[in-house]
Amino acid sequence: MSDKPEKFIDENGLRLDGRRVDEIRPMKMEIGVLSRADGSCYLEWGKNKVLAAVYGPRELHPRRMQKADSVLIRYRYNMAAFSVEDRIRPGPSRRSTEISKVSREAFEPVVLTHLYPGAVIDVFAEVLQADAGTRTAAINAASVALADAGIPMKGLVSACAVGKVDGQLVLDLNKPEDNYGDADIPMAMTSDGEITLVQMDGDVTQEEFKQAIEMCKEGCRQIMEIQKETLRNKFTKLDDVEVPDE
Ligand code: CDP
């Protein structure tokens, strides 16, 4: 028997979790949570829990994999076995390989890759608890972890999904909306609104697609504020540290 809800949006315009159609789930981030990583970020977004770690830039071995004119970015999205209701089989899957590829590509336009020829930057995104939107959650955490590692970037990348339920577009899908909705469009963008990732599952009209981009831009703008605030909190605290006189 399907658990599909009869209605996703009630007569007051509120969703099953009480949000308005254009509202994102509560998000909080903590930076520098792993002492061995060059940069790290722990993110909670609704019931999603994701840990991102960045290592590098460091020399890439074997040397034959090095790029002569730029750094190589490697991105590994992984769901912990215990992150979902049914256990996830450990190791890469078609889904995680695809998500890792598109997420890496979401960062390539912003990282100043030419600065570190021959080097590699490794990004690990570990999903500890999954509740819809984990690829976008992982990108949001990875973006802050890259900044925490001091990787030179044109700016941050923020990500969010727009979907369609009950014939209406909704921002930041929750689990039932993701499972049973009519469309799921995860996107990532820069602070200038340049889209660095867009995927689509399901059907929307051209007009709805344009609206989805606008909704996503607003969601990403709010997420970027949280990302910047997280970074500001850490780095302003560092500014406050008194440097002893020589
Ligand atoms: O997580 P995201 O929305 O980026 O990707 P998805 O493939 O659309 O998956 C939606 C949700 O389904 C995930 O966030 C998980 O909560 C769940 N899922 C699962 O339970 N088992 C899987 N093997 C994959 C996803």
Side-chain angles (χ1 to χ4, degrees):
M1 201 183 78
S2 164
D3 293 332
K4 181 174 178 179
E6 259 176 50
K7 270 173 77 175
F8 290 93
I9 303 173
D10 71 13
E11 49 287 352
N12 300 316
L14 297 179
R15 292 149 75 178
L16 295 169
D17 52 16
R19 280 183 294 151
R20 296 184 314 270
V21 290
D22 58 353
E23 205 176 329
I24 60 170
R25 290 171 285 185
M27 180 185 285
K28 60 179 187 186
M29 292 182 172
E30 206 181 325
I31 196 170
V33 288
L34 299 172
S35 56
R36 292 202 185 92
D38 293 308
S40 57
C41 175
Y42 171 67
L43 169 142
E44 288 186 3
W45 188 8
K47 291 184 216 150
N48 287 312
K49 297 185 179 181
V50 176
L51 189 57
V54 168
Y55 296 81
R58 56 189 177 183
E59 197 180 345
L60 176 59
H61 292 287
R63 293 180 72 125
R64 65 183 150 77
M65 283 174 67
Q66 291 184 358
K67 290 170 136 188
D69 53 358
S70 73
V71 73
L72 177 77
I73 302 173
R74 291 191 293 211
Y75 188 109
R76 194 185 79 149
Y77 163 101
N78 183 54
M79 270 183 157
F82 51 79
S83 63
V84 293
E85 262 170 59
D86 298 324
R87 176 179 179 273
I88 296 259
R89 191 172 170 200
S93 62
R94 281 176 68 123
R95 179 177 171 277
S96 68
T97 305
E98 172 209 307
I99 294 177
S100 299
K101 176 187 183 286
V102 295
S103 305
R104 185 192 74 235
E105 288 169 357
F107 285 102
E108 274 171 351
V110 295
V111 175
L112 302 182
T113 49
H114 64 281
L115 293 180
Y116 304 102
V120 61
I121 297 169
D122 279 302
V123 183
F124 297 92
E126 295 290 322
V127 178
L128 306 176
Q129 188 169 288
D131 199 57
T134 56
R135 75 195 66 201
T136 51
I139 288 172
N140 291 325
S143 186
V144 171
L146 280 160
D148 183 37
I151 305 294
M153 294 189 284
K154 289 185 204 155
L156 293 166
V157 172
S158 311
C160 191
V162 169
K164 188 173 159 187
V165 292
D166 294 349
Q168 274 200 57
L169 294 179
V170 290
L171 185 61
D172 182 22
L173 301 179
N174 59 35
K175 191 84 186 337
E177 291 168 343
D178 193 312
N179 281 8
Y180 303 112
D182 303 321
D184 176 12
I185 313 173
M187 291 186 217
M189 46 185 92
T190 65
S191 54
D192 302 333
E194 185 194 336
I195 296 172
T196 64
L197 172 148
V198 60
Q199 296 187 285
M200 185 159 104
D201 200 5
D203 285 320
V204 291
T205 64
Q206 260 188 31
E207 195 44 47
E208 283 171 337
F209 187 71
K210 282 187 200 153
Q211 280 175 28
I213 293 178
E214 290 312 310
M215 276 176 95
C216 221
K217 266 191 188 161
E218 178 51 27
C220 286
R221 194 194 58 74
Q222 292 174 26
I223 293 165
M224 194 160 288
E225 274 314 306
I226 301 169
Q227 291 172 306
K228 283 185 184 164
E229 192 55 31
T230 308
L231 288 160
R232 243 182 252 128
N233 280 345
K234 172 170 176 184
F235 292 106
T236 351
K237 269 192 211 139
L238 287 181
D239 279 351
D240 290 345
V241 176
E242 278 193 30
V243 182
D245 293 334
E246 288 197 16

